């Protein structure tokens, strides 16, 4: 049975490993240091009233994550990052459920917009974001990758 719950600080290493594995699988290259540093940056300033680190757990094993953080210059906008679901658990609605819970949290926390960035490599997620009401608002180049910015207006 899948359980969606708040991340626990003792799970940082496991969560970073999961996120890194999914990014390596999708991007075809290692980005471990970037992920480790970014997760640490988020946790160092984590405020549970404004930020969310949600995990998906199956049989006591982390198989998915999503993070919402108030890192956007706009005070009523939060950033959604690191939505990942381990490949053997994709296609069952777990990513959709985590985004649904994250958006609900954002609304309750008073945000007006949820923003996310994703590369074209995550094409399976891009389609889901659009189905869930996120609007493609920008495209830019980062480390030779096209990055798409999506906003969901709450």
């Amino acid at each position: 049975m899948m359980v969606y719950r708040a991340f626990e600080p003792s799970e940082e290493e496991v969560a970073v490993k999961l996120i890194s594995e999914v990014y390596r699988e999708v991007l075809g290259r290692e980005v471990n240091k970037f992920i480790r540093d970014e997760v640490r940056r988020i946790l160092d300033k984590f405020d549970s009233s404004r930020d969310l680190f949600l995990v998906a757990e199956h049989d006591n094993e982390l198989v998915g994550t999503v993070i919402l953080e108030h890192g956007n210059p706009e005070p009523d906008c939060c950033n959604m990052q690191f939505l990942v679901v381990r490949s053997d658990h994709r296609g069952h609605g777990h990513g959709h459920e985590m985004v649904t819970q994250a958006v609900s949290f954002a609304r309750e926390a008073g945000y007006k917009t949820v923003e996310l960035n994703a590369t074209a490599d995550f094409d399976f997620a891009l389609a889901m974001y659009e189905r869930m009401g996120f609007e493609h608002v920008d495209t830019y180049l980062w480390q030779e990758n096209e990055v798409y910015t999506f906003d969901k207006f709450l």
Side-chain angles (χ1 to χ4, degrees):
M1 181 167 116
M2 189 66 69
V3 175
Y4 306 98
R5 61 170 178 76
F7 162 87
E8 297 173 11
S10 63
E11 298 171 315
E12 181 176 352
E13 185 177 322
V14 175
V16 166
K17 182 179 179 192
L18 170 64
I19 296 165
S20 296
E21 287 173 357
V22 171
Y23 272 63
R24 181 177 51 249
E25 170 198 342
V26 174
L27 299 175
R29 67 181 190 282
E30 296 290 335
V31 289
N32 298 1
K33 182 179 178 346
F34 166 77
I35 291 167
R36 185 178 56 253
D37 292 349
E38 190 66 5
V39 169
R40 173 64 7 227
R41 180 192 64 76
I42 292 166
L43 291 175
D44 283 346
K45 63 176 199 68
F46 194 83
D47 173 355
S48 62
S49 69
R50 305 283 290 159
D51 304 316
L52 173 71
F53 194 153
L54 186 69
V55 298
E57 180 182 73
H58 183 259
D59 292 337
N60 297 316
E61 189 175 10
L62 291 189
V63 298
T65 67
V66 67
I67 297 174
L68 275 186
E69 70 154 332
H70 183 257
N72 196 295
E74 299 295 324
D76 60 355
C77 181
C78 62
N79 297 324
M80 187 168 72
Q81 299 186 65
F82 300 127
L83 172 66
V84 300
V85 177
R86 204 171 70 191
S87 61
D88 58 331
H89 287 272
R90 287 188 204 133
H92 302 285
H94 305 309
H96 186 279
E97 179 60 26
M98 287 191 293
V99 171
T100 298
Q101 289 191 29
V103 167
S104 177
F105 175 89
R107 191 175 283 116
E108 290 171 17
Y111 291 112
K112 303 293 183 217
T113 308
V114 176
E115 184 171 277
L116 66 91
N117 295 297
T119 67
D121 303 291
F122 288 89
D123 56 339
F124 52 90
L126 300 178
M128 179 189 71
Y129 297 141
E130 289 184 325
R131 285 192 309 273
M132 295 185 75
F134 284 82
E135 297 177 27
H136 178 215
V137 296
D138 193 19
T139 302
Y140 62 93
L141 203 58
W142 179 73
Q143 295 186 354
E144 300 179 17
N145 291 300
E146 272 194 344
V147 178
Y148 304 107
T149 301
F150 288 85
D151 285 348
K152 181 169 181 73
F153 303 100
L154 308 178

